């Protein structure tokens, strides 16, 4: 194959990866932006989505498309419910203290992962794509399903953008993100917003996983990579900024495949992880600059609500 | 008056308590069956790791999610020099410790510019880089598969006597001696001026800063001590058990150190050791019944952070024994 078509193929593959990464990272970004906590168990919600999709498509095996559509509807709801319970039972009781939440979500990570290991087993399982259709380009044929993944992710992102910027619920979320106390005194049920955001964040990860599971396979350890990648994306995109996150997801998703062609994947990961750590240290507002609603976990950014909140939470 | 003088009545109690722990551990080796003898050796080394971790987390209030990289620095610093360069045991041990100290300084200069959640994530990411490095330089480290030190490289002359690290009893007593040394280092550190400054930073960093402390330098010192002790544990592990693999640098080990400290009691000298002992046996027992023994780790983390944030010794200190260091 010539270089042009080859690059085209690589970009298509990159777009598929970017699409899934967008959804997953957006979930993490919402949770971080609104609740100001880091959810380390986010990758496990991704994994749960994939595993539940396998389970549901096996239950409804009359037609692959039917099972898949059912999975796409039921699995995220189940994951959302689990996240809802986790929020009510654990995070709320910690009053969303950032450090305690990280430790608790590490615990949650193990609990979910190992429960899946016990019930689902250690084998990787394949899920059938809802349809088989090849799009014939002049140089190669390409899986129609993968193109659908890109389109579906784009539609979901548009929907999310609409809800966040144009509806009452989105307004409540943004108000809570911007200033928790002020929102509360204006009658916004902040705690309920937190719970909903946590559940919705998990559902985004689950949807991303369900879309990708016919391409990859479901496995109980599959959550780690999306977690690290989402971290990277959210940090580069500017913590809590949705636009930045989407831009970073596309950048990372597209470049990941291309870099891996030229360098050893391990070296690529080493370099990118180091760079991201340095971004967090030296440029915590991310590469895409401060956005409209931007929160920093940096306590010495004075005059920002986050700083006051940090001081309050660290008062012993 | 120095703090030590204020508490001079307590310091006798404290010293006898620590001596009692050492004596009990020393006597245990004569009654323990072979399997538990080996397990206790491992626990003592991991306890050094956890106690080192505690200097940063328990006393300074900095929660690191990347201490496995310091453990790994000691492990590889000792193991690679012994394996590839044929360095003798004391020399390899020293190089492991130095590797750990250098890495802590480097990591400290970068990561200590952040606090709180950002510190946790930066340390986690740097540790992930260290883990990937052990995989990338697989020509020297053999990655996941790891290296096994030869029998010959595991004994050395010490003042005319031959010390053989394949002997279980030697291993047990060496670990115990190192544990004792670690305990006294940490005790001296936290009872002294630096220890007070560390706690001041933990409780309120801006206030400590206002009182004239150079908090960055003090935190760097804490990280240096913490990382070097962790590296000492790693170097000991490599030389005593003769196996060096990248699995020791995974995030799992960083979380273990956190868990051991949380369980035993952050901010107490003996807490992490107690936590290591209990958690190691808990996981050991659980792994006899299920492959999903990490479930225990997860549940323990959630339980501790929700209901028992002071840990065992922390609670005892808070309720009954305020003199516990």
């Amino acid at each position: 194959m010539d270089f042009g078509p080859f690059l085209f193929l690589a970009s298509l593959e990159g777009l598929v990866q970017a699409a899934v990464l967008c959804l997953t990272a957006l979930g993490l970004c919402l949770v971080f932006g609104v609740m100001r906590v880091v959810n380390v168990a986010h990758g496990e919600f991704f994994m749960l989505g994939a595993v539940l999709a396998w389970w549901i498509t096996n239950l409804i095996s009359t037609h692959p498309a039917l099972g898949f559509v059912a999975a796409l509807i039921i699995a995220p709801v189940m994951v959302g419910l689990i996240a809802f319970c986790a929020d009510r039972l654990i995070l709320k009781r910690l009053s969303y203290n950032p450090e305690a939440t990280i430790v608790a979500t590490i615990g949650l990570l193990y609990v979910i992962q190992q429960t899946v290991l016990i019930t689902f087993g250690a084998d990787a399982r394949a899920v059938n794509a809802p349809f088989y259709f090849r799009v014939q380009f002049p140089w190669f044929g390409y899986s129609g399903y993968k193109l659908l993944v890109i389109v579906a992710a784009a539609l979901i992102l548009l929907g999310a953008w609409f809800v966040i910027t144009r509806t009452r619920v989105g307004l409540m979320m943004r108000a809570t993100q911007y200033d928790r106390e002020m929102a509360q005194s204006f009658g916004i049920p902040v705690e309920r917003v937190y719970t909903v955001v946590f559940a919705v964040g998990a559902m985004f990860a689950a949807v991303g996983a369900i879309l990708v599971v016919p391409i990859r396979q479901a496995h109980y350890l599959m959550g780690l990579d999306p977690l690290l990648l989402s971290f990277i994306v959210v940090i580069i995109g500017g913590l809590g900024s949705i636009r930045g996150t989407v831009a970073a997801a596309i950048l990372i998703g597209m470049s990941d495949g291309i870099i891996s062609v030229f360098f050893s994947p391990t070296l690529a990961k080493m370099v990118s992880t180091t760079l991201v750590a340095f971004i967090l240290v030296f440029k915590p507002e991310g590469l895409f600059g401060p956005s409209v609603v931007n929160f920093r976990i940096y306590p010495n950014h004075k005059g920002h609500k986050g700083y006051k909140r940090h001081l309050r939470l660290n008062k012993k | 008056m120095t703090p030590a003088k204020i508490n001079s009545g307590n310091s006798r109690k404290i010293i006898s308590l620590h001596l009692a722990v050492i004596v009990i551990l020393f006597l245990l080796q004569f009654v323990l069956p072979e399997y538990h003898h080996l397990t206790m050796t491992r626990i003592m080394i991991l306890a050094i790791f956890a106690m080192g971790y505690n200097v940063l987390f328990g006393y300074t209030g900095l929660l690191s999610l990347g201490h496995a990289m310091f453990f790994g620095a000691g492990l590889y610093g000792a193991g690679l020099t012994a394996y590839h360069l044929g360095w003798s045991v004391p020399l390899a041990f020293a190089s492991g410790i130095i590797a750990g100290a250098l890495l802590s300084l480097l990591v400290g200069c970068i990561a200590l510019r952040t606090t709180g959640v950002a510190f946790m994530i930066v340390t986690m990411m740097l540790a992930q880089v260290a883990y990937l490095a052990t995989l990338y330089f697989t020509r020297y480290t053999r990655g996941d598969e790891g290296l096994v030190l030869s029998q010959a490289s595991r004994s050395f002359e010490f003042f005319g006597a031959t010390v053989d690290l394949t002997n279980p009893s030697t291993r047990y007593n060496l670990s115990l001696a190192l544990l004792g040394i670690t305990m006294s280092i940490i005790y001296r550190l936290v009872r002294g001026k630096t220890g007070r400054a560390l706690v001041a930073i933990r409780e309120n960093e801006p206030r400590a800063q206002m009182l004239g402390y150079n908090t960055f330098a003090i935190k760097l010192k804490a990280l240096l001590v913490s990382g070097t002790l962790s590296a000492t544990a790693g170097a000991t592990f490599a030389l005593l058990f003769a196996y060096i693999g990248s699995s020791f640098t995974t995030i799992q080990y960083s979380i273990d150190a956190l868990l051991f400290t949380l369980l035993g009691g952050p901010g107490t000298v003996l807490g992490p050791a107690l936590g290591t002992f209990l958690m190691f046996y808990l996981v050991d027992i659980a792994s006899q019944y299920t492959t999903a023994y990490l479930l225990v780790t997860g549940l323990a983390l959630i339980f501790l952070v929700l209901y028992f944030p002071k840990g065992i010794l922390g609670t005892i200190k808070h309720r009954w024994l305020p003199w516990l260091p």
Side-chain angles (χ1 to χ4, degrees):
Chain A
M1 213 179 339
D2 290 333
F3 182 72
F6 183 73
L7 195 66
F8 181 54
L9 178 66
S11 335
L12 274 180
E13 288 290 318
L15 262 183
V16 174
Q17 199 176 348
V20 175
L21 188 55
C22 257
L23 291 179
T24 316
L26 186 66
L28 193 70
C29 164
L30 271 182
V31 170
F32 187 83
V34 176
M35 304 167 66
R36 287 150 200 197
V37 296
V38 177
N39 176 18
V40 185
H42 195 67
E44 303 315 303
F45 291 132
F46 181 91
M47 180 271 287
L48 266 181
V51 168
L52 286 174
W54 174 80
W55 182 63
I56 292 168
T57 48
N58 265 32
L59 280 183
I60 308 170
S61 48
T62 45
H63 189 273
L66 190 70
F68 188 79
V69 170
L72 203 52
I73 295 166
I74 301 168
V77 174
M78 291 171 78
V79 172
L81 273 178
I82 293 170
F84 176 85
C85 295
D87 179 80
R88 278 295 153 101
L89 293 176
I90 303 169
L91 301 197
K92 198 179 160 196
R93 292 182 190 207
L94 295 171
S95 32
Y96 304 100
N97 175 308
E99 300 195 3
T101 300
I102 290 197
V103 178
T105 50
I106 292 173
L108 191 62
L109 180 159
Y110 283 131
V111 170
I112 295 176
Q113 184 191 79
Q114 301 292 310
T115 311
V116 169
L117 172 63
I118 294 170
T119 51
F120 171 80
D123 300 326
R125 322 259 180 153
V127 173
N128 285 331
F131 57 85
Y132 287 97
F133 176 70
R134 288 189 79 76
V135 178
Q136 197 59 48
F137 290 110
W139 317 280
F140 54 83
Y142 197 69
S143 152
Y145 177 72
K146 287 187 179 175
L147 294 176
L148 177 89
V149 169
I150 299 173
V151 174
L155 286 178
I156 293 169
L157 281 176
L158 271 178
W161 172 80
F162 181 79
V163 169
I164 291 168
T165 55
R166 296 285 186 275
T167 65
R168 202 178 146 71
V169 179
L171 189 63
M172 283 179 164
M173 276 168 53
R174 280 181 293 144
T176 310
Q177 169 166 19
Y178 198 70
D179 188 333
R180 184 197 147 118
E181 262 113 65
M182 196 61 92
Q184 199 152 26
S185 45
F186 271 80
I188 291 174
V190 167
E191 294 223 320
R192 216 178 303 160
V193 171
Y194 275 20
T195 310
V196 168
V197 165
F198 195 72
V200 169
M203 287 166 81
F204 270 114
V207 170
I210 298 161
L211 287 177
V212 86
V213 78
I215 303 170
R216 286 182 221 154
Q217 289 180 322
H219 185 250
Y220 82 105
L221 287 177
M222 74 191 292
L224 188 65
D225 263 354
L227 175 73
L228 289 175
L229 277 176
S230 303
F231 264 12
I232 291 176
V233 164
V234 171
I235 290 168
I236 290 182
L239 303 158
S241 141
I242 291 169
R243 246 180 296 170
T245 299
V246 171
I250 293 169
L251 179 77
I252 298 281
M254 297 285 290
S255 59
D256 198 54
I258 296 167
I259 290 172
S260 299
V261 172
F262 294 108
F263 302 100
S264 120
T266 315
L267 186 65
K269 269 190 207 164
M270 276 167 72
V271 173
S272 61
T273 312
T274 316
L275 285 178
V276 168
F278 275 88
I279 289 174
L280 196 54
V281 173
F282 294 103
K283 203 172 179 337
E285 68 272 16
L287 289 185
F288 293 92
S291 64
V292 191
V293 269
N294 192 3
F295 171 73
R296 302 161 198 222
I297 49 179
Y298 229 37
N300 52 11
H301 175 60
K302 295 186 180 61
H304 193 280
K305 290 290 177 228
Y307 179 60
K308 287 182 192 156
R309 183 181 157 77
H310 174 87
L311 287 186
R312 200 168 53 249
L313 286 172
N314 283 292
K315 222 182 272 169
K316 293 263 162 82
Chain B
M1 228 181 338
T2 60
K5 273 186 193 148
I6 303 169
N7 300 318
S8 61
N10 287 332
S11 64
R12 190 169 303 155
K13 264 193 253 176
I14 291 164
I15 289 169
S16 21
L17 173 72
H18 289 78
L19 278 180
V21 171
I22 300 279
V23 170
I24 290 170
L25 284 173
F26 181 76
L27 293 176
L28 260 183
Q29 64 175 310
F30 302 111
V31 292
L32 283 177
E34 200 185 328
Y35 175 74
H36 293 283
H37 189 273
L38 181 68
T39 306
M40 276 311 289
T41 312
R42 283 174 191 271
I43 288 175
M44 285 191 289
I45 299 171
L46 288 177
I48 298 174
F49 179 33
M51 288 166 95
Y53 181 81
N54 186 34
V55 172
L56 198 64
F57 171 51
Y59 289 100
T60 323
L62 286 167
L63 204 165
S64 144
L65 286 178
H67 258 53
M69 68 180 145
F70 303 126
F71 190 85
L75 190 86
Y76 280 102
L80 291 182
T81 48
Y83 186 86
H84 290 294
L85 307 175
W87 287 13
S88 68
V89 173
L91 221 54
F93 186 61
S95 92
I97 294 175
I98 291 168
L102 290 177
L103 185 69
S104 338
L105 273 181
L106 182 70
V107 169
C109 288
I110 302 165
L112 284 176
R113 289 163 177 275
T114 63
T115 52
V117 174
F119 182 78
M120 296 163 84
I121 295 177
V122 169
T123 47
M124 190 181 85
M125 294 202 137
L126 293 177
Q128 184 69 16
V129 174
Y131 165 67
L132 290 171
T134 64
L135 295 182
Y136 182 69
F137 296 104
T138 189
R139 193 145 61 102
Y140 305 104
T141 64
R142 304 261 306 278
D144 271 331
E145 200 181 316
L147 300 167
V148 177
L149 297 182
S150 66
Q151 290 283 343
S153 66
R154 295 174 64 200
S155 63
F156 61 100
E157 299 286 321
F158 189 70
F159 292 119
T162 309
V163 181
D164 177 17
L165 294 183
T166 53
N167 179 351
S169 176
T170 313
R171 293 200 293 220
Y172 188 97
N173 288 309
L174 267 179
S175 316
L176 179 59
L178 284 170
L179 183 71
I181 294 170
T182 309
M183 233 182 245
S184 62
I185 289 175
I186 292 178
Y187 176 67
R188 283 183 66 94
L189 179 84
V190 301
R191 283 332 280 290
K193 226 173 133 188
T194 316
R196 303 271 153 165
L198 293 182
V199 175
I201 291 173
R202 179 186 73 192
E203 295 302 325
N204 191 334
E205 190 174 344
R207 185 163 60 196
Q209 229 158 12
M210 201 190 68
L211 288 172
Y213 286 105
N214 180 353
T215 53
F216 183 83
I218 298 170
K219 286 195 286 187
L220 189 61
K221 193 170 165 187
L223 183 61
L224 180 64
V225 173
S226 177
T228 310
L229 285 174
S230 304
T232 310
T236 316
F237 214 97
L239 294 169
L240 292 195
F241 297 109
Y243 171 74
I244 311 134
S246 45
S247 62
F248 289 109
T249 58
T250 52
I251 184 161
Q252 181 70 48
Y253 266 74
S254 303
I255 290 168
D256 275 350
L258 168 68
L259 179 60
F260 296 159
T261 311
L262 266 180
L263 176 63
T268 59
V269 174
L270 286 174
L274 179 67
T276 313
F277 174 77
L278 293 175
M279 207 60 223
F280 199 97
Y281 267 104
L282 198 61
V283 168
D284 196 51
I285 293 165
S287 61
Q288 287 166 9
Y289 295 101
T290 169
T291 46
Y293 57 89
L294 283 171
L295 191 62
V296 178
T297 306
L299 289 173
L301 275 173
I302 294 177
F303 173 78
L304 285 171
V305 97
L306 270 181
Y307 302 109
F308 210 48
K310 286 201 174 80
I312 297 170
L313 281 191
T315 307
I316 291 177
K317 178 181 175 175
H318 184 69
R319 292 258 174 93
W320 300 290
L321 305 175
W323 50 267
L324 215 61

